[in-house]
Coordinates of all heavy atoms in Angstrom, one line a residue:
A102 N -1.7 -0.3 27.2 CA -1.2 -0.2 28.4 C 0.3 0.3 28.4 O 0.8 0.5 29.5 CB -1.3 -1.6 29.2
F103 N 0.7 0.5 27.2 CA 2.1 1.0 27.0 C 2.0 2.6 27.0 O 1.5 3.2 26.0 CB 2.8 0.4 25.7 CG 4.2 0.8 25.5 CD1 5.1 -0.1 26.0 CD2 4.6 2.0 24.9 CE1 6.4 0.2 25.9 CE2 6.0 2.2 24.8 CZ 6.9 1.4 25.3
D104 N 2.7 3.2 27.9 CA 2.6 4.7 27.9 C 3.4 5.2 26.8 O 4.6 4.9 26.5 CB 3.3 5.2 29.3 CG 3.1 6.7 29.5 OD1 2.1 7.2 29.1 OD2 4.1 7.3 30.0
G105 N 2.8 6.1 26.0 CA 3.4 6.7 24.9 C 3.3 5.9 23.6 O 3.9 6.2 22.6
H106 N 2.5 4.9 23.5 CA 2.3 4.0 22.3 C 1.9 4.8 21.1 O 1.1 5.8 21.3 CB 1.4 2.9 22.4 CG 1.1 2.1 21.2 ND1 -0.1 2.3 20.5 CD2 1.7 1.2 20.6 CE1 -0.1 1.6 19.5 NE2 0.9 0.9 19.5
I107 N 2.5 4.7 19.9 CA 2.2 5.4 18.8 C 1.3 4.6 17.9 O 1.8 3.4 17.5 CB 3.4 5.8 17.9 CG1 4.4 6.7 18.8 CG2 3.1 6.5 16.7 CD1 5.8 6.8 18.2
A108 N 0.1 5.0 17.7 CA -0.9 4.2 16.9 C -0.9 4.5 15.5 O -1.7 5.4 15.1 CB -2.3 4.4 17.5
C109 N 0.0 3.8 14.7 CA 0.0 4.0 13.3 C -1.2 3.4 12.7 O -1.8 4.0 11.7 CB 1.3 3.4 12.7 SG 2.8 4.2 13.3
D110 N -1.7 2.2 13.3 CA -2.8 1.5 12.8 C -3.7 1.3 14.1 O -3.2 0.6 15.0 CB -2.4 0.2 12.1 CG -3.6 -0.6 11.6 OD1 -4.9 -0.2 11.9 OD2 -3.4 -1.5 10.9
A111 N -4.8 2.0 14.2 CA -5.7 1.8 15.4 C -6.1 0.3 15.6 O -6.5 0.0 16.7 CB -6.9 2.7 15.1
A112 N -6.0 -0.5 14.6 CA -6.3 -2.0 14.8 C -5.3 -2.7 15.6 O -5.6 -3.8 16.2 CB -6.5 -2.7 13.5
S113 N -4.1 -2.2 15.7 CA -3.0 -2.9 16.4 C -3.4 -2.8 17.8 O -3.5 -2.0 18.5 CB -1.7 -2.3 16.2 OG -1.3 -2.5 14.9
Q114 N -3.2 -4.1 18.4 CA -3.5 -4.3 19.9 C -2.4 -4.8 20.7 O -2.3 -4.8 21.9 CB -4.8 -5.2 20.1 CG -6.0 -4.6 19.6 CD -6.4 -3.3 20.2 OE1 -6.6 -3.2 21.5 NE2 -6.7 -2.2 19.5
S115 N -1.4 -5.4 19.9 CA -0.2 -6.0 20.6 C 1.0 -5.9 19.6 O 0.7 -5.7 18.4 CB -0.4 -7.4 21.1 OG -0.6 -8.3 20.1
E116 N 2.1 -5.8 20.2 CA 3.3 -5.5 19.4 C 4.6 -6.2 20.0 O 4.7 -6.3 21.2 CB 3.5 -4.0 19.3 CG 4.6 -3.4 18.5 CD 4.4 -1.9 18.3 OE1 3.6 -1.2 19.0 OE2 5.3 -1.4 17.4
I117 N 5.4 -6.6 19.0 CA 6.8 -7.0 19.5 C 7.8 -6.2 18.5 O 7.6 -6.2 17.4 CB 6.9 -8.5 19.5 CG1 8.3 -8.8 20.0 CG2 6.8 -9.0 18.1 CD1 8.3 -10.3 20.4
V118 N 8.9 -5.7 19.2 CA 9.8 -4.9 18.4 C 11.3 -5.5 19.0 O 11.5 -5.4 20.1 CB 9.8 -3.5 18.7 CG1 10.8 -2.7 17.9 CG2 8.4 -2.9 18.4
V119 N 12.1 -5.8 17.9 CA 13.5 -6.3 18.1 C 14.4 -5.2 17.7 O 14.5 -4.9 16.5 CB 13.7 -7.6 17.4 CG1 15.0 -8.1 17.8 CG2 12.6 -8.7 18.0
P120 N 15.4 -4.8 18.5 CA 16.4 -3.9 18.0 C 17.4 -4.6 17.2 O 17.7 -5.7 17.3 CB 17.0 -3.3 19.3 CG 16.8 -4.3 20.3 CD 15.5 -5.0 19.9
L121 N 17.8 -3.9 16.0 CA 18.8 -4.5 15.1 C 20.1 -3.8 15.3 O 20.3 -2.7 14.9 CB 18.3 -4.4 13.7 CG 16.9 -4.9 13.5 CD1 16.5 -4.6 12.1 CD2 16.9 -6.5 13.7
I122 N 21.0 -4.5 15.8 CA 22.4 -4.0 16.2 C 23.5 -4.6 15.2 O 23.5 -5.9 15.1 CB 22.8 -4.4 17.7 CG1 21.6 -4.1 18.6 CG2 24.1 -3.7 18.0 CD1 21.2 -2.5 18.5
K123 N 24.3 -3.7 14.6 CA 25.3 -4.2 13.7 C 26.4 -4.7 14.4 O 26.6 -4.5 15.7 CB 25.8 -3.0 12.9 CG 24.7 -2.4 12.0 CD 25.4 -1.2 11.2 CE 24.4 -0.3 10.5 NZ 25.0 0.9 9.9
A124 N 27.3 -5.4 13.8 CA 28.5 -6.1 14.4 C 29.3 -5.1 15.2 O 30.0 -5.4 16.2 CB 29.3 -6.8 13.4
D125 N 29.4 -3.9 14.6 CA 30.2 -2.8 15.3 C 29.6 -2.2 16.5 O 30.0 -1.2 17.2 CB 30.5 -1.8 14.3 CG 29.5 -0.9 13.7 OD1 28.4 -1.1 14.2 OD2 29.7 0.0 12.8
G126 N 28.3 -2.7 16.9 CA 27.6 -2.1 18.0 C 26.7 -1.0 17.7 O 25.9 -0.5 18.6
S127 N 26.6 -0.5 16.5 CA 25.7 0.6 16.0 C 24.4 0.1 15.7 O 24.2 -1.1 15.4 CB 26.3 1.4 15.0 OG 26.5 0.6 13.8
L128 N 23.4 1.0 15.8 CA 22.1 0.6 15.5 C 21.8 0.7 14.1 O 21.9 1.7 13.4 CB 21.2 1.6 16.3 CG 19.6 1.5 16.2 CD1 19.2 0.1 16.9 CD2 18.9 2.7 16.8
L129 N 21.1 -0.4 13.5 CA 20.7 -0.5 12.1 C 19.3 0.0 12.1 O 18.8 0.8 11.2 CB 20.8 -1.7 11.6 CG 20.1 -2.0 10.3 CD1 20.9 -1.3 9.1 CD2 20.0 -3.4 9.8
G130 N 18.5 -0.3 13.1 CA 17.1 0.0 13.2 C 16.3 -1.0 14.2 O 16.9 -1.6 15.0
V131 N 15.1 -1.1 13.8 CA 14.2 -2.1 14.5 C 13.4 -2.9 13.7 O 13.0 -2.6 12.5 CB 13.3 -1.5 15.7 CG1 14.2 -0.8 16.6 CG2 12.3 -0.5 15.0
W132 N 13.0 -4.2 14.1 CA 12.0 -5.1 13.4 C 10.8 -4.9 14.3 O 10.8 -5.1 15.4 CB 12.7 -6.5 13.3 CG 11.6 -7.5 13.0 CD1 11.1 -8.5 13.8 CD2 11.0 -7.7 11.7 NE1 10.2 -9.3 13.1 CE2 10.1 -8.8 11.8 CE3 11.0 -7.0 10.6 CZ2 9.3 -9.2 10.8 CZ3 10.2 -7.5 9.5 CH2 9.4 -8.6 9.6
D133 N 9.7 -4.6 13.6 CA 8.5 -4.4 14.3 C 7.3 -5.2 13.8 O 7.1 -5.3 12.5 CB 8.1 -2.8 14.1 CG 6.7 -2.4 14.7 OD1 6.2 -3.0 15.7 OD2 6.3 -1.3 14.3
V134 N 6.7 -5.9 14.7 CA 5.5 -6.8 14.2 C 4.3 -6.4 15.1 O 4.4 -6.4 16.3 CB 5.8 -8.1 14.4 CG1 4.6 -9.1 13.9 CG2 7.1 -8.6 13.5
D135 N 3.1 -6.2 14.5 CA 1.9 -5.8 15.2 C 0.9 -6.9 14.9 O 0.8 -7.6 14.0 CB 1.4 -4.5 14.7 CG 2.2 -3.3 14.9 OD1 3.3 -3.5 15.6 OD2 1.9 -2.3 14.5
S136 N -0.1 -6.9 15.9 CA -1.2 -7.8 15.7 C -2.6 -7.1 16.2 O -2.5 -6.2 17.1 CB -1.2 -9.1 16.6 OG -2.3 -9.8 16.7

Side-chain angles (χ1 to χ4, degrees):
F103 188 93
D104 189 33
H106 174 256
I107 301 168
C109 295
D110 180 352
S113 294
Q114 296 297 308
S115 59
E116 184 170 7
I117 187 165
V118 180
V119 180
L121 304 171
I122 310 302
K123 296 179 192 175
D125 67 4
S127 65
L128 180 69
L129 174 68
V131 298
W132 167 246
D133 179 20
V134 182
D135 296 357
S136 173

